[in-house]
Amino acid sequence: MTKNRVLHALRAKQTNEEVDGEASYGKWSNVDLEPTPPTARNWSGWYFFAFQFSIAFSPTTYNIGSSLFAIGFTWWTIVIASFVGTGLCCIVIFFNSRGATWYHIGFPVYARISAGIYGSLFFIFIRMIVAIFYMGTQTYYASRMMDVSLRCIFGHQWTDIPNSLP
């Protein structure tokens, strides 16, 4: 593969004009910031349900259930607490998703509406930091669960593996 082909494959589309020939809205816009065209709007209620359902099976959710059990909750109070917590999260997600579902715009554009172009950078930065911590927490819990699983399978052989790294 030539260098030009690699660079062309890695280059992101910057304006709507490059994608489908329509004029863009200037230097503060790109394909990801413009409203989704009607032909690309293929989300239904099942996608939102599947997204929320996938969040319910994350490692942190399992940790919450086991923590509630450890402090003395019974199984049925843990189930009720899980439904109440998921219901509250659904309400927040419902109100937060208005821009995406009604106007077909993403979070950066929605933040620009209330704070302007430069003010929205603060909210985007905060969202980035929260995402980093969220993924770090999820990865940590998943690694701890993997450690427990491997200890259950291999016993002391898993914990007694010699460290041969310098």
Side-chain angles (χ1 to χ4, degrees):
M1 216 183 241
T2 66
K3 180 180 176 182
N4 290 337
R5 289 181 67 188
V6 171
L7 292 176
H8 179 71
L10 294 176
R11 187 175 67 88
K13 304 274 190 278
Q14 293 301 314
T15 63
N16 202 17
E17 189 174 348
E18 293 178 27
V19 176
D20 57 8
E22 294 181 15
S24 184
Y25 300 108
K27 72 176 185 174
W28 291 106
S29 182
N30 64 28
V31 174
D32 295 327
L33 294 177
E34 294 176 2
T36 307
T39 56
R41 298 177 192 166
N42 56 3
W43 284 67
S44 69
W46 287 108
Y47 290 96
F48 292 104
F49 171 77
F51 175 72
Q52 185 65 29
F53 192 75
S54 69
I55 290 174
F57 288 100
S58 66
T60 51
T61 305
Y62 291 136
N63 189 46
I64 291 170
S66 63
S67 298
L68 292 175
F69 185 76
I71 63 172
F73 279 40
T74 60
W75 67 269
W76 59 271
T77 55
I78 294 172
V79 170
I80 290 171
S82 297
F83 278 113
V84 169
T86 301
L88 292 173
C89 285
C90 285
I91 291 169
V92 171
I93 289 173
F94 173 78
F95 286 116
N96 193 30
S97 66
R98 178 180 174 171
T101 55
W102 287 10
Y103 305 117
H104 309 287
I105 57 175
F107 176 78
V109 176
Y110 213 54
R112 285 181 182 181
I113 293 170
S114 62
I117 291 177
Y118 295 110
S120 68
L121 296 177
F122 172 74
F123 297 109
I124 294 168
F125 176 76
I126 294 296
R127 187 172 178 173
M128 176 190 69
I129 297 298
V130 168
I132 289 170
F133 279 109
Y134 179 77
M135 291 308 299
T137 304
Q138 294 282 56
T139 304
Y140 173 74
Y141 283 136
S143 68
R144 298 298 295 162
M145 288 181 173
M146 182 63 77
D147 179 52
V148 170
S149 300
L150 291 173
R151 262 190 292 147
C152 291
I153 295 169
F154 299 113
H156 69 88
Q157 295 171 343
W158 168 248
T159 56
D160 295 340
I161 294 175
N163 184 5
S164 60
L165 296 175

